Amino acid sequence: MIIFLKKKRSRGSIAFGAVLAVVLVIIGLAFFALAMYMGGQNETKNATDAGMLNVGKKVADNVSVPIYPTPNELIFIDVANDTTSGEDLLASLTGGISDLKEINMHRINRVWAKALQIGINAEAADRDGFGGSAKSNAQKAFEGAQSISNRLADKLNEKADRYKYFDELAGQNSVRMLGTDAKTRALQGDNWQTSLLERGRESNVTVAPPEYSMPPNFQMPNLVMKSSRKNVPAAAKDFWFLSGYSPIKLADRTFWQIPYVYDETPHMVSGTEFAANTLKAKPIDWEKPIPNAFSGEGIAVAKSSKAPGQKAISWVLTNPGQTFKMSIPHSFVRIKLDKMYSHWYFFPVGPQTKVEYGDPQEYKYQLDTHNGPKMPLGGAFCMYVQAGEVEVGGDVLARNLDQIIFGLPDKDNEKIEAYLVNRANEMIGKVGKVISVDELHDSLSDPLTILYLLAEQTEFYMFSADGETIEIMPKYLALIRAPWLLLKQGEEPDGTEMKLVDDADCPAVLLNKVSAKPLPKCILLPPTPIGWGLWDKDVYWTPGSGYNSCLGNLRVKRWTEIYSLGIAFPSLL
Amino acid sequence: MLNKRQNLRRTKRGSLLIQAVAVGSILIVISMALIDLIVMVLANGVNDAAAKNAARAAAGQSTMDSAVTAARNAVQEKKPSGFITSLILQSVDYDPKKNVSCKTKMEISLPIPVPLVGSKYVFMAQATEPIVAR
């Protein structure tokens, strides 16, 4: 009995050892399988992240919609590129026909911003009472921007492009733990969603400070914001941005921007954050919002395996990483100088009442001798008073354009400066660049303008060819410098004319050779006959919304008034 | 008679010992293999993560030089320790504006050397990311 038990015990220890070995091998294999499974899961997640990051990058860069060749959309050709100057020669020469695939996620905010700028100009002109047809043009610009935006939103909601971008990169990442021939590809379906993240944070459009970006007497509170980043990069400390996914209301229209936080790149976000900001979970008033976040699902399967494969979902927030400035790059202000005349005034009944007599005589931007008329009975008790020869043109001789506009007689110059500086800044596309009053004067003071004036060029264009500086040139030179002007040169402002400077005058430097003959039995009262003159100036501003590229006309009217006074009195001698 | 019984007892004790040694050594071998396996799985995970981090860091750079520097810095963050004897960034394949691929090489020293193979083992990992820098 004892021997039998001992035999059993020895067999039992062998069996126990064998079972233990088998268990250990099973545990080992199970651990290996689990490690492979978890590693495969991890690899699938990494590959899906990479694929979705590619989606985040490519949707911003590659998904685009054409600008249709309709008047309302063609006005956005100058912002359908990534340059500050809006320069695209071929597109500008063909009215945009050659370049119909240009609005993507980088530029759509630029399109909305241009429509907003046109709206601001129109609204400001309307409030001043000189709106003309600007408001209806602003509506057209709004409709153009909205229609481009809607098409882009539709395109972005198509999933086919996203699947393609996902597969491009996810498949390049190894999922070898699932098999040597395993690859990750897009798992098409409902997990490919869009969302509207970073609501209320900055867009990729900056705005010049209000004193430069807004027309005079016009304000839009809460239009702009500083960067919402915790640590704002030094370069962006002074930037003002439009706000994303926040309605920008102007008149009865609502403009929109997509938030792209400054100096950030596409990156992964949490699923919770993504889900909380979908249009369904948190609606906004924008009828067809352009999403900035995308989710996608990937599946890793081995060709040789019949296993269902590993799945993973990722969420990416896109950001084009490119900042623009709210501007109308292809725009101009026309500066027109009216013909100048000398006007002759006499005082037939005494110094209180002046009468214009004789035809006004034109003078140019040089000294000119005018022969004044002889007015019969042109002075009290005078047979006639004759203005004689007068040298005119002293107010414009050797003056540059700045002096013609702002020089003597100077009155209300700040009003002219305000409009011109605002419009100059609307032309500038370079982020952070502001055209100051001094820079405006510098441009207008170009010594070449003296020569242009001597050459009787009286129509100038203020524009920006490079998006950074403004230039002022006579029409034909401007057409060479900025070829896009060829199609725009004939455009007139859509507002109506207002007077900025009303009859400013100052004593003129003249040498009058006045003569007078008293009536019989009368003698001239010394110091008469005497003559003097006044330099006069009117300045008119016609606001343009920029819809047709014309941001306004500045018209300067100068003239010289020449007074001849002769007073005689009856003589008792 | 007594000697026969004593001999039988000795023989039984000896066979039990042999059985215990045989079973024990198999268990030890299996256990050692398991330990090596755990180390290899963990090391592979670390290497994959290093390649991924390097590619992520390089993807945020706009030039080849800065991408290499960023990838190298990311890999150096994983300092060799324990069984990992070296971890290096073997190559950076930077295709401007498109993708960047980073390959890492990790050498480990297995805690229990494998006969005829030794204790050194090399892992390679590669990760590809889209360049997101402008």
Side-chain angles (χ1 to χ4, degrees), chain A residues 10 14 17 20 24-25 28 31-32 35 43 46 49-50 53-54 57 61 169 172-173 176-177 265 320-321, chain B residues 12 16 19 23 27 30 34 37-38 41 44 48 52 56 97-99 124-125 127-132 134:
Chain A
S10 97
I14 294 170
L20 192 62
L24 276 174
V25 168
F31 175 79
F32 184 72
E43 284 180 341
N46 283 344
D49 279 355
L53 201 57
N54 199 43
K57 178 192 167 188
D61 292 350
L169 211 92
Q172 291 185 38
N173 279 275
R176 59 190 168 180
M177 289 200 174
T265 54
Chain B
K12 278 177 186 169
L16 274 174
Q19 282 170 19
V23 170
L27 288 179
I30 291 172
L34 265 178
L37 187 66
I38 290 169
V41 166
N44 186 49
D48 276 352
K52 187 79 189 165
R56 279 271 169 92
K97 304 274 179 195
K98 289 185 179 171
N99 309 326
M124 305 292 288
T128 306
E129 293 281 334
I131 295 167
V132 291
R134 299 287 166 191

Side-chain angles (χ1 to χ4, degrees), chain A residues 379-422:
Chain A
F381 298 103
C382 289
M383 193 170 280
Y384 66 84
V385 176
Q386 186 168 14
E389 283 187 349
V390 181
E391 245 181 10
V392 294
D395 54 336
V396 291
L397 174 70
R399 304 290 203 280
N400 58 41
L401 191 57
D402 190 68
Q403 290 166 322
I404 297 296
I405 298 170
F406 295 99
L408 288 174
D410 53 347
K411 179 184 165 189
D412 294 333
N413 276 350
E414 64 285 353
K415 284 188 192 172
I416 312 172
E417 284 169 347
Y419 280 104
L420 287 185
V421 165
N422 162 242

Side-chain angles (χ1 to χ4, degrees), chain A residues 92-109:
Chain A
S92 63
L93 289 177
T94 57
I97 307 277
S98 69
D99 193 9
L100 299 179
K101 51 176 176 48
E102 289 289 346
I103 299 299
N104 55 16
M105 289 187 83
H106 291 237
R107 301 165 187 164
I108 188 62
N109 281 344

